[in-house]
Amino acid sequence: MPADTWRTFFASATTNIDILVYSGLFLAEDSGLLRILTDRAHAGVRVRILLGDPDSPHVTTRGTEEGIGGDVMASRVRNAHALYRPLQDVEGIELRLHRTVLYNSIYRADNELLINLHAYGTRAPEAPVIYLTHTEANSTATTYLTSFEHVWTSAEPAGRKL
C-alpha cells in the first residue's frame, strides 16, 4: 500500500488510532506519518501503539519464519522503537511492548480497520491487507478490536529500555 494511503487513513481519525505490529518499521520510518500521529494526538485522538518485545521468542520465531532471521526481526523492533521514542513524550500517545504470537497486524483509525493477514513464510509487506468497518456489534471488525484490547491489556509500557 502506498505511503499516502497510510497517511490518509490515520489523518482521518478523530477519536482513536491503534497500531498492533511486531515492528511496523515502514510506519516508524515515515516522518510524515509520525507528524500525523502527533497532530492527531494534539487534536485529542487517543493513539496506542503496540510493538513486539524484541526479547520475545515470538519475535525471533517470526523473523525465522519470514526468512530474514530472528536477530534481524528483533533489530527491526528496536529500530522502530527508537524512531517512535519521541512520540512517548506526546500527551495522548502511548507505546507498549507485547510478547504475543502476532497472527495479524491491526491498524485502526476510529471505526475503520486495516488488517494485515500474516501468512506463514511470507513477509508482512507481501501478505494481503483487508479493510473492515466497525458499524455493529459482533462483526468481524469487533473480533479484531477485541483481539487488540487483549494484547493491549497484557502489554508492558515500552519505557526507554530499548
Side-chain angles (χ1 to χ4, degrees), residues 51-86:
L51 298 176
D53 182 330
D55 297 324
S56 166
H58 303 302
V59 168
T60 302
T61 299
R62 178 62 189 233
T64 302
E65 291 170 351
E66 285 188 1
I68 63 170
D71 291 342
V72 172
M73 182 62 82
S75 293
R76 289 174 58 90
V77 173
R78 285 186 178 89
N79 190 17
H81 187 269
L83 293 168
Y84 280 124
R85 189 169 286 130

Side-chain angles (χ1 to χ4, degrees), residues 10-149:
F10 289 119
S12 71
T14 59
T15 57
N16 295 294
I17 292 175
D18 293 330
I19 299 170
L20 169 60
V21 293
Y22 273 153
S23 74
L25 192 54
F26 72 100
L27 296 175
E29 291 176 328
D30 185 339
S31 61
L33 180 74
L34 296 181
R35 277 192 301 280
I36 288 168
L37 295 177
T38 299
D39 291 347
R40 295 288 73 219
H42 286 153
V45 175
R46 179 182 183 193
V47 179
R48 301 183 295 173
I49 302 169
L50 279 161
L51 298 176
D53 182 330
D55 297 324
S56 166
H58 303 302
V59 168
T60 302
T61 299
R62 178 62 189 233
T64 302
E65 291 170 351
E66 285 188 1
I68 63 170
D71 291 342
V72 172
M73 182 62 82
S75 293
R76 289 174 58 90
V77 173
R78 285 186 178 89
N79 190 17
H81 187 269
L83 293 168
Y84 280 124
R85 189 169 286 130
L87 299 184
Q88 290 181 268
D89 296 327
V90 176
E91 187 174 335
I93 298 180
E94 191 172 353
L95 192 66
R96 292 185 182 182
L97 300 179
H98 69 91
R99 298 180 64 84
T100 63
V101 173
L102 190 61
Y103 298 106
N104 305 280
S105 294
I106 300 172
Y107 308 92
R108 173 189 188 188
D110 296 337
N111 289 328
E112 298 183 1
L113 288 86
L114 295 172
I115 310 298
N116 185 198
L117 305 173
H118 296 178
Y120 183 86
T122 304
R123 294 179 50 244
E126 298 162 354
V129 174
I130 61 170
Y131 170 80
L132 300 171
T133 57
H134 183 245
T135 56
E136 59 188 56
N138 301 320
S139 67
T140 301
T142 301
T143 301
Y144 288 103
L145 291 173
T146 301
S147 175
F148 181 93
E149 293 301 329

